[in-house]
Each structure stands twice: as structure tokens, then as C-alpha cells.
Amino acid sequence: MLSRGLLCLGSAAVASGKVYFSETFGDGWESRWTTSKWKESEGTAGKWAATAGKWYSDEAEDKGIQTSEDSKFFGIAASFDSFSNAGKDLIIQYQAKYEKDVECGGGYMKLGPKMDDATTFGDPTAYNIMFGPDKCGYTKRTHLIFNYKGKNVLKKSDLSYKQEGEGTSHLYRLIVKPDNTVRVEIDEEKIYEGSMKDDWELLKPKEISDPDDKKPSDWVDDSMMDD
């Protein structure tokens, strides 16, 4: 279940930045979001439901949108004004809650260019950033993928998966800084901080192996040889 989302430019203190998108899924949320029809023709598109779920403190305040069917594909999209994060921190955060264990699926979000038709939103849709929990069988991680020159680049090592505990909400926060460093927090605990250049293969290596490079026919592998 997704309950709150925020997209902000400014300092890491969210209150001091400009908010480009914010959603609490209150009244009228359906008019701000477009449900994906990507898998509708195959009969595998799931339906979203507005609810606070099984466990909540305040039913009205804790309401979000929930996947209401098992073994279905779910996607939903909303638009916002274009922006540039040049010279500013980009802050993305949202809250997610699983009310039962997920065998194979993700609760991640994608930030990308405006779509001509938001109903086509799905796996093939181009994006700039993908962020959030993902699990399939024994493979589980918090995804953070950047698109660079048309290629989706995964982090060299996985970020910890924290979406454990049924009925517990988790707050995901991503901060991308102007110096190309990144900080990831889950429930306000830092799980990663580092450089995009070092931890994502965004740039070509300085040395590239030549597949046609071969040893000379008279090459000697012995550490010592007769003079």
C-alpha cells in the first residue's frame, strides 16, 4: 500500500525546498492519477483500492491506495511540472506498507519524462530513476536504478531490503546531490551514502580489454628462463 509521496528540490531539510509533487491520497486522488492499462488486454491488470488497510492509527489520515488482488500487475502514474535539479538537492520520498508477504513483486516508484499516454505506463516505460523495495523468491533488495544515456544502470551492490514485517509502514527517502553523491534512508536510518561514479557503472572504464589481444607465439610464462 502506498500512503504518501513527496518530490522536492532544495536542502535535505524538506521544509526549506520547493515541493514539485505531494500526495496523501485524500479526496479526489482519482482525478490526479491515471491507472495503467498496460496488462489489461491480457486480463492480468490489477485494481487499486483506497483504504487505510487492516492496521492504522487514524483511518482518515492513514488512508492510501492498495493493490486489491493477488498475482496481478499494478501501475499508476501522475504528472507534475518539469524541473531541473542543477545545483540543488533532489529529494524523493514515499511511504509503503505490505499487509502480507510478497513472493514476487515490488513497491517501487519511477520518476521519468512526461508520457503522451499515461495508461500505457508499465515495465517498458522510460524513466530517469527507479527506487524502492523489490523481491522475487530469495532475491530481495531496495532498488536504486539510474538511467544514463538510455541505459538503466543498477547499483554494483544491492541496497538492504527493509520491507519486512506485515502491517508496518516504511518511509523511503532518496537524496541526489549536485556533486553526484547519493544518500538513501529507510525509516530515517541511513542505509547508503556514496558516489554515483563509484557505485554505478555510468562511465566507461579508463582501460578496456582488447578481445583480440593475444600472446606472441614465442611468449614464455616461466618466471625465470635461461639467458
Side-chain angles (χ1 to χ4, degrees):
M1 186 173 78
L2 301 179
S3 56
R4 298 176 189 275
L6 177 72
L7 173 65
C8 173
L9 290 179
S11 70
V14 172
S16 66
K18 180 175 180 179
V19 176
Y20 279 84
F21 182 83
S22 179
E23 179 63 80
T24 58
F25 296 102
D27 293 342
W29 71 269
E30 299 97 331
S31 65
R32 298 186 292 271
W33 291 81
T34 301
T35 301
S36 171
K37 296 181 180 180
W38 173 51
K39 289 290 185 177
E40 194 172 78
S41 63
E42 301 175 14
T44 55
K47 295 181 180 180
W48 295 91
T51 176
K54 299 177 184 177
W55 303 283
Y56 52 82
S57 175
D58 183 299
E59 186 172 5
E61 288 292 323
D62 294 343
K63 184 176 288 187
I65 55 172
Q66 184 181 61
T67 56
S68 62
E69 302 169 275
D70 293 337
S71 303
K72 299 285 186 180
F73 289 91
F74 293 87
I76 194 165
S79 62
F80 47 84
D81 293 337
S82 297
F83 65 89
S84 171
N85 64 322
K88 302 173 184 176
D89 290 353
L90 170 64
I91 304 165
I92 302 169
Q93 72 175 36
Y94 71 100
Q95 197 169 2
K97 177 174 67 173
Y98 287 2
E99 295 202 333
K100 56 183 176 181
D101 189 29
V102 174
E103 293 182 4
C104 192
Y108 44 80
M109 56 77 60
K110 294 180 177 180
L111 177 68
K114 184 176 181 179
M115 295 176 287
D116 293 330
D117 181 3
T119 63
T120 63
F121 177 60
D123 282 353
T125 304
Y127 62 84
N128 301 110
I129 298 173
M130 175 174 153
F131 173 51
D134 188 47
K135 175 184 176 183
C136 199
Y138 292 106
T139 302
K140 48 187 178 180
R141 56 193 166 184
T142 298
H143 263 313
L144 181 51
I145 304 174
F146 293 101
N147 183 285
Y148 184 69
K149 295 185 176 181
K151 181 181 178 181
N152 296 330
V153 184
L154 281 72
K155 190 175 179 297
K156 293 177 182 178
S157 59
D158 290 339
L159 296 173
S160 300
Y161 182 84
K162 299 288 187 178
Q163 198 66 35
E164 306 281 12
E166 297 176 7
T168 302
S169 293
H170 296 281
L171 179 65
Y172 290 83
R173 179 181 295 154
L174 167 66
I175 303 170
V176 181
K177 297 179 178 292
D179 62 359
N180 293 325
T181 58
V182 176
R183 181 182 174 97
V184 176
E185 300 174 4
I186 301 179
D187 299 329
E188 299 187 320
E189 174 189 353
K190 182 185 75 174
I191 66 164
Y192 169 78
E193 189 165 25
S195 167
M196 294 171 64
K197 182 179 69 174
D198 296 337
D199 294 333
W200 283 261
E201 293 183 354
L202 299 173
L203 304 177
K204 292 182 179 180
K206 293 181 179 179
E207 294 186 3
I208 303 175
S209 299
D210 182 357
D212 298 322
D213 189 23
K214 297 180 180 178
K215 294 180 181 180
S217 58
D218 58 351
W219 185 272
V220 178
D221 286 318
D222 295 340
S223 57
M224 299 182 68
M225 59 183 178
D226 295 334
D227 189 355

